Amino acid sequence: MYEELRSELKKRKRRITAQREMILKIFLESKGRHLGVEEVCRELLDRNIRISKATVYRAVELLVDLGFLRRLNFGDGIYRYEIVDRSEVESHQHVICRVCGKIKEINSEMVKKIVSEISEKTGYIIENHDLKFYGLCPDCKRRLSGG
Ligand SMILES: [Zn+2]
Ligand SMILES: [Zn+2]
């Protein structure tokens, strides 16, 4: 992954910085999580690295442009990012708790069927889709029902 990053950056004549590498590493180590810029800053601080939010934001957006990260918007006004697993053939869907914001990843057979149906009907090659489900996670459901 780092080698890939290095060659991508070189191709685009962008300087590979230790910062960018470290940010990518944080995402690699937190696979399945969906980090906002604020959380990336916190993770960096845990490693005793102090980088301004603006710098982290720019680095993260660059990694999106290069195809290493995917930008996600769960409607709470915060951009979150996740690592793009290039070996991942099918994209996954997100289930978001509207109370605590916990995000679960799912891989629905039904969605696969929908994608191939849309592809058939429209003649398009479907390369990407963005499907989100909102509701209550089991913890919040239990808490709110007073159980
Ligand atoms: Zn919840
Ligand atoms: Zn995800």
Side-chain angles (χ1 to χ4, degrees):
M1 195 80 173
Y2 296 119
E3 280 314 306
E4 245 182 279
L5 175 69
R6 240 185 226 115
S7 70
E8 278 301 321
L9 289 171
K10 215 171 149 189
K11 243 189 276 169
R12 291 167 190 239
K13 301 197 189 346
R14 304 296 278 267
R15 221 153 40 88
I16 171 73
T17 64
Q19 291 180 355
R20 285 171 191 161
E21 234 182 60
M22 182 52 75
I23 289 169
L24 188 67
K25 190 163 181 257
I26 285 169
F27 278 98
L28 281 169
E29 286 170 0
S30 56
K31 210 174 169 290
R33 283 175 70 200
H34 306 78
L35 304 174
V37 166
E38 200 103 29
E39 284 159 304
V40 175
C41 287
R42 220 172 301 139
E43 293 280 337
L44 286 165
L45 268 181
D46 285 348
R47 292 163 166 83
N48 286 314
I49 303 164
R50 195 175 291 271
I51 309 176
S52 78
K53 244 179 92 172
T55 304
V56 171
Y57 179 76
R58 277 196 303 272
V60 158
E61 284 293 319
L62 174 69
L63 291 170
V64 170
D65 287 344
L66 295 175
F68 288 96
L69 297 179
R70 183 182 297 129
R71 188 197 298 121
L72 303 159
N73 183 356
F74 294 118
D76 56 0
I78 301 165
Y79 279 140
R80 288 169 214 283
Y81 303 86
E82 69 182 357
I83 197 91
V84 174
D85 187 347
R86 289 173 182 206
S87 62
E88 191 181 300
V89 196
E90 273 113 17
S91 56
H92 57 266
Q93 298 84 49
H94 295 104
V95 187
I96 305 113
C97 177
R98 62 175 167 80
V99 176
C100 70
K102 194 158 56 206
I103 300 159
K104 202 172 157 54
E105 295 188 337
I106 54 159
N107 225 314
S108 165
E109 285 300 318
M110 192 67 89
V111 172
K112 275 179 220 165
K113 276 187 204 142
I114 292 169
V115 169
S116 64
E117 188 189 312
I118 289 170
S119 178
E120 245 166 66
K121 275 188 182 159
T122 62
Y124 276 55
I125 297 167
I126 308 297
E127 295 174 326
N128 195 10
H129 62 262
D130 187 8
L131 198 52
K132 295 171 207 130
F133 302 89
Y134 295 91
L136 281 175
C137 74
D139 289 341
C140 290
K141 196 176 83 182
R142 215 174 301 125
R143 204 158 38 78
L144 291 175
S145 66

